[in-house]
Amino acid sequence: MSEPSVKSDVLEQSALEEAASIQVLSETGEAVPFGSLFEQQKTIVVFIRHFLCGMCKLYVEELGKVPKSALDAAGTRIVVIGCGEWSVIKKYRDDSANYPYDIYAEPTRALHQKLGLLSNRYGAGPGEKRKSYAGKVLAVGLASLARWIRKGYDITKVGNLSQVGGDFVLGPGSKVTFAARMKNTQDHVEIDDLMKAAGVAYSTGVSQSGLTG
């Protein structure tokens, strides 16, 4: 299997060990240590932004297309973590077409800070390559607004609107295989690269040369 086309960021093992004790909340509100998500096996951990972010929703829907059989063969799984309240997770899952894997919440953002995740509202710059999962900004923004109105999301519970996320391959234990912190609101790692980093035999089949604008 080829290597990912992006270089891993540095995540110190000591920082991960400290982060491991921070509690995350399941879809039912159960609090578990972050480290328990990857203690026993290699885990793809994706930090989305807030639960109303349309770009992240598109990314999560692409993650949902990765077959469980491919994850099982690589001895890994996918976990998504948002910075909103756990009570929003069910509604978010219902909105995210065919995403079948675990979702957690960490509304204090202590975990995000410990892992060095940024806070900003910058999009991709002029002429910068747009990730293959990302739609046109205006269209995605309007869709998010419509979803907010139609589904009745409580804006006070979806999470901090300035928080950006990151994509990691962690475990078992305190092993760090891959780390990529988003630099802006449209900067998740390409799905193909993330799967390569995790040793998962899967390709989206979409050209990842990038689009501008």
Side-chain angles (χ1 to χ4, degrees), residues 88-129:
V88 182
I89 294 176
K90 185 180 185 304
K91 187 174 293 187
Y92 184 81
R93 180 185 294 284
D94 291 343
D95 268 353
S96 301
N98 301 317
Y99 175 80
Y101 305 120
D102 290 333
I103 305 176
Y104 288 84
E106 205 292 88
T108 73
R109 297 193 296 147
L111 179 56
H112 300 69
Q113 293 166 18
K114 182 62 68 176
L115 296 177
L117 300 179
L118 303 177
S119 290
N120 66 59
R121 297 193 191 184
Y122 306 136
E128 185 176 348
K129 287 182 177 179

Side-chain angles (χ1 to χ4, degrees), residues 1-2 44 59-71 73-74 76 78 101 190-206 208:
M1 183 177 295
S2 60
I44 299 164
Y59 192 73
V60 168
E61 290 174 348
E62 288 300 313
L63 285 172
K65 296 176 183 178
V66 180
K68 187 176 184 300
S69 58
L71 296 172
T76 190
I78 295 173
Y101 305 120
E190 294 283 6
I191 299 288
D192 285 5
D193 282 326
L194 187 57
M195 294 305 117
K196 287 176 184 176
V200 177
Y202 173 79
S203 172
T204 61
V206 177
Q208 300 183 0

Side-chain angles (χ1 to χ4, degrees), residues 4-180:
S5 64
V6 292
K7 185 178 178 181
S8 176
D9 291 340
V10 174
L11 174 59
E12 297 291 346
Q13 192 175 62
S14 58
L16 180 61
E17 289 171 351
E18 291 176 12
S21 64
I22 296 173
Q23 301 286 299
V24 294
L25 301 168
S26 74
E27 193 167 343
T28 60
E30 178 187 5
V32 299
F34 174 58
S36 69
L37 304 183
F38 51 87
E39 183 177 10
Q40 300 297 325
Q41 72 173 125
K42 178 176 57 179
T43 301
I44 299 164
V45 181
V46 172
F47 286 84
I48 60 171
R49 299 180 61 232
H50 52 85
F51 283 121
L52 203 57
C53 176
M55 290 292 186
C56 287
K57 177 177 176 290
L58 292 175
Y59 192 73
V60 168
E61 290 174 348
E62 288 300 313
L63 285 172
K65 296 176 183 178
V66 180
K68 187 176 184 300
S69 58
L71 296 172
D72 289 345
T76 190
R77 66 183 185 130
I78 295 173
V79 170
V80 164
I81 300 176
C83 68
E85 301 288 341
W86 69 265
S87 58
V88 182
I89 294 176
K90 185 180 185 304
K91 187 174 293 187
Y92 184 81
R93 180 185 294 284
D94 291 343
D95 268 353
S96 301
N98 301 317
Y99 175 80
Y101 305 120
D102 290 333
I103 305 176
Y104 288 84
E106 205 292 88
T108 73
R109 297 193 296 147
L111 179 56
H112 300 69
Q113 293 166 18
K114 182 62 68 176
L115 296 177
L117 300 179
L118 303 177
S119 290
N120 66 59
R121 297 193 191 184
Y122 306 136
E128 185 176 348
K129 287 182 177 179
R130 192 170 78 243
K131 298 298 178 70
S132 63
Y133 73 88
K136 289 288 188 179
V137 175
L138 180 58
V140 173
L142 290 174
S144 294
L145 179 61
R147 186 160 53 98
W148 175 22
I149 295 171
R150 185 177 68 255
K151 297 289 187 176
Y153 278 87
D154 185 338
I155 195 67
T156 67
K157 295 184 178 181
V158 298
N160 188 289
L161 301 185
S162 296
Q163 183 66 57
V164 294
D167 311 302
F168 300 84
V169 180
L170 306 174
S174 56
K175 182 178 180 180
V176 179
T177 298
F178 182 80

